[in-house]
Amino acid sequence: MTGLDMDKRAYDDDADEPRPHTPARVFNAVAAGIIMLLFLVHACLGTLKLYWPEMPSNLEFIVWFGVAIIAVHVIASIVTTYEMWTDTVRPPSDRKKRHQILKWVTGILLLVSIVIHQLCVSELLPPAAVDVLTLPALIVTAILLCWHLFVGAKSLTRDLNLKSAFRTPLRVVFIVITVVVCAAVLVLIVR
């Protein structure tokens, strides 16, 4: 293999061999999959609630179950990041390190956005801030979630032993849901 072939392989997304499926990686992928489903349910119900405020909302346990799974996901992400960065058998390339950092940056931004969203929904901020931030925070949260899921789709499909062909449809679904939620919220802002 020439130096050029090795450089090409280092940047070819699909040419990388998957890292071993450690229990933490599989556990983290399952947690991420559950979070995706919970966010989908939450986004749909939350958007309906915006248009139909009288809708019964006794499903708050879904949100708190989601918070618990997010905590598990964060802990498992710390473990899997540590495993990857300290791997002496297959040390991560600079590209993989940058990708891991991007997952953490998008995840932290998403977490901050979720906290702001929760503060608005719980009306723990001053009323003027709640009025100004609630709907834009929904849009920002949806976009950050899409970005985080888009970045993590490769790891998610690999760790769940799904074919790489699922990545693109999964990413398209993330984008479509984000556009629908953002459009529904924008309609309320414009009104």
Side-chain angles (χ1 to χ4, degrees), residues 47-88:
T47 304
L48 281 174
K49 183 84 171 158
L50 289 172
Y51 283 90
W52 181 29
E54 302 83 28
M55 184 178 91
S57 59
N58 54 355
L59 298 174
E60 290 157 357
F61 70 92
I62 291 174
V63 173
W64 293 112
F65 178 68
V67 168
I69 298 296
I70 289 169
V72 167
H73 176 58
V74 169
I75 292 166
S77 294
I78 291 168
V79 171
T80 58
T81 300
Y82 177 79
E83 287 175 349
M84 184 183 89
W85 283 61
T86 59
D87 188 345
T88 56

Side-chain angles (χ1 to χ4, degrees), residues 21-175:
H21 290 284
T22 65
R25 283 181 65 99
V26 175
F27 191 72
N28 196 22
V30 170
I34 292 170
I35 292 167
M36 282 185 342
L37 292 174
L38 290 174
F39 265 112
L40 175 62
V41 170
H42 182 70
C44 292
L45 292 176
T47 304
L48 281 174
K49 183 84 171 158
L50 289 172
Y51 283 90
W52 181 29
E54 302 83 28
M55 184 178 91
S57 59
N58 54 355
L59 298 174
E60 290 157 357
F61 70 92
I62 291 174
V63 173
W64 293 112
F65 178 68
V67 168
I69 298 296
I70 289 169
V72 167
H73 176 58
V74 169
I75 292 166
S77 294
I78 291 168
V79 171
T80 58
T81 300
Y82 177 79
E83 287 175 349
M84 184 183 89
W85 283 61
T86 59
D87 188 345
T88 56
V89 175
R90 257 192 89 213
S93 66
D94 288 341
R95 190 186 107 276
K96 285 189 184 204
K97 288 179 181 179
R98 284 192 303 271
H99 183 77
Q100 193 71 18
I101 290 168
L102 182 59
K103 283 197 282 190
W104 275 101
V105 167
T106 60
I108 290 167
L109 290 172
L110 177 60
L111 184 60
V112 169
S113 175
I114 290 169
V115 169
I116 292 169
H117 168 65
Q118 186 57 41
L119 290 172
C120 288
V121 170
S122 301
E123 297 181 352
L124 296 174
L125 296 174
V130 170
D131 291 341
V132 171
L133 291 176
T134 300
L135 295 178
L138 284 172
I139 291 172
V140 170
T141 301
I143 291 169
L144 288 171
L145 175 62
C146 182
W147 186 21
H148 185 63
L149 293 171
F150 196 91
V151 170
K154 178 182 173 187
S155 302
L156 180 68
T157 53
R158 279 191 174 171
D159 292 342
L160 291 176
N161 282 329
L162 299 174
K163 293 181 180 184
S164 62
F166 282 113
R167 271 184 229 144
T168 300
L170 199 55
R171 287 173 170 160
V172 169
V173 168
F174 299 157
I175 292 168

